[in-house]
Amino acid sequence: MESNLSVKLLSHTPDPEGVVALAAKLCYSDANIEDLKEAISKRDQQGFIEKIVKIGHHSVLEHISFTFGIEGVSRALTHQLVRHRIASYSQKSQRYVKYTEDFDYIMPLTIKNNERYRKRFEELMLEISDLYSEMISYDIPAEDARYILPNACETKIIVTMNGRELLHFFKIRCCNRAQWEIRQMSEEMLKLCLEVAPSIFKHAGPGCVTEKCPEGEFTCGQAADVRKKYIELLKKYNRLN
């Protein structure tokens, strides 16, 4: 079986751009917080926020958070995802959740489009599923039976990151050199962030969007095309001319 990627923004800091603007202005003002809050509410903060992000005053982005519900991804992806340590994760447990039917799995397109290896891949997944079910039926604990489950096994995870970490996450994981599955997921996360905080994420994406490709000799060699792709994406959400 194959699963489809689903990324949903479950919750986020109310008025994230307002919170960032307030935090930033507080650093440069002797006014009290209530007066600053009132002043901010009366003016468009788009330009100010974009300036703050551009000059690298990113500590104020740590005051806002975004929580995503992600389904239809592999354990191979989440093994990469949890390497981002400034985040919170809750993942479907293979210790406590038993697979009572054939488990869902993720199949890379390189395998899906190869008739020979797609068939062998599917056969192996079925063999693993049958052995797993047999062990469970003979009272092998799920926490032990799971040892045979593959990286391809579908999982679900809830992820919370602050605004600063998300900018870093998008810079690394939207890059062409990122693994295809986590890149696809990160692009969907970025689209959701742009819907609620377009000024903050106006120039988010891989490093080559706003600067020279940071990958050096490991560059994909397609920086111009990547830059064009993300500029078009960001225009869609960012009220750009």
Side-chain angles (χ1 to χ4, degrees):
M1 297 176 65
E2 298 177 48
S3 299
N4 296 318
L5 171 67
S6 172
V7 182
K8 297 180 180 179
L9 183 59
L10 301 179
S11 66
H12 60 82
T13 301
D15 187 20
E17 296 190 345
V19 171
V20 168
L22 177 61
K25 286 185 180 294
L26 181 67
C27 295
Y28 306 104
S29 173
D30 61 358
N32 63 53
I33 293 176
E34 283 303 317
D35 289 344
L36 283 175
K37 186 176 180 181
E38 182 178 354
I40 287 172
S41 67
K42 294 179 179 179
R43 297 181 59 185
D44 183 3
Q45 300 299 319
Q46 179 183 354
F48 176 69
I49 294 171
E50 292 174 5
K51 178 180 178 180
I52 288 297
V53 175
K54 184 176 181 179
I55 66 175
H57 188 182
H58 292 172
S59 63
V60 295
L61 302 180
E62 296 176 19
H63 295 295
I64 59 173
S65 66
F66 301 78
T67 298
F68 304 88
I70 301 168
E71 298 179 280
V73 294
S74 69
R75 281 268 172 167
L77 181 150
T78 58
H79 290 332
Q80 300 172 76
L81 178 60
V82 298
R83 292 177 64 190
H84 293 269
R85 293 183 290 277
I86 306 177
S88 298
Y89 305 102
S90 296
Q91 183 170 204
K92 177 181 178 182
S93 172
Q94 291 182 338
R95 181 183 183 192
Y96 296 109
V97 179
K98 296 179 182 179
Y99 294 93
T100 55
E101 300 178 357
D102 293 346
F103 60 84
D104 290 344
Y105 55 83
I106 310 303
M107 183 186 298
L109 283 177
T110 53
I111 299 175
K112 182 179 180 181
N113 294 334
N114 187 303
E115 184 176 349
R116 176 184 179 183
Y117 290 111
R118 172 175 181 157
K119 181 178 180 181
R120 292 180 65 181
F121 187 97
E122 292 172 335
E123 289 173 346
L124 178 59
M125 294 300 107
L126 181 59
E127 182 180 352
I128 291 173
S129 179
D130 288 345
L131 178 56
Y132 175 90
S133 297
E134 180 181 337
M135 288 194 291
I136 293 294
S137 69
Y138 279 88
D139 295 325
I140 299 295
E143 65 178 23
D144 294 334
R146 65 176 170 163
Y147 275 66
I148 68 168
L149 294 175
N151 276 337
C153 193
E154 188 269 349
T155 190
K156 301 169 178 61
I157 191 167
I158 290 178
V159 182
T160 300
M161 294 185 184
N162 67 46
R164 186 178 197 173
E165 177 62 13
L166 277 169
L167 285 181
H168 171 71
F169 178 78
F170 295 142
K171 183 176 182 178
I172 302 299
R173 298 301 184 177
C174 288
C175 175
N176 263 8
R177 295 197 66 248
Q179 186 257 354
W180 66 268
E181 189 183 9
I182 198 168
R183 183 173 68 246
Q184 181 183 52
M185 182 197 71
S186 65
E187 288 176 355
E188 295 304 309
M189 292 169 64
L190 174 54
K191 292 175 185 178
L192 292 171
C193 288
L194 284 166
E195 290 180 0
V196 298
S199 299
I200 294 172
F201 296 98
K202 180 175 181 177
H203 298 296
C208 62
V209 170
T210 56
E211 58 190 46
K212 181 180 178 181
C213 174
E215 296 296 320
E217 63 180 296
F218 299 107
T219 179
C220 71
Q222 301 174 331
D225 292 335
V226 173
R227 190 177 298 114
K228 181 179 179 180
K229 169 187 173 181
Y230 275 89
I231 287 175
E232 290 302 313
L233 171 64
L234 297 168
K235 279 183 179 179
K236 179 179 178 181
Y237 291 94
N238 272 295
R239 306 187 293 273
L240 297 182
N241 295 323

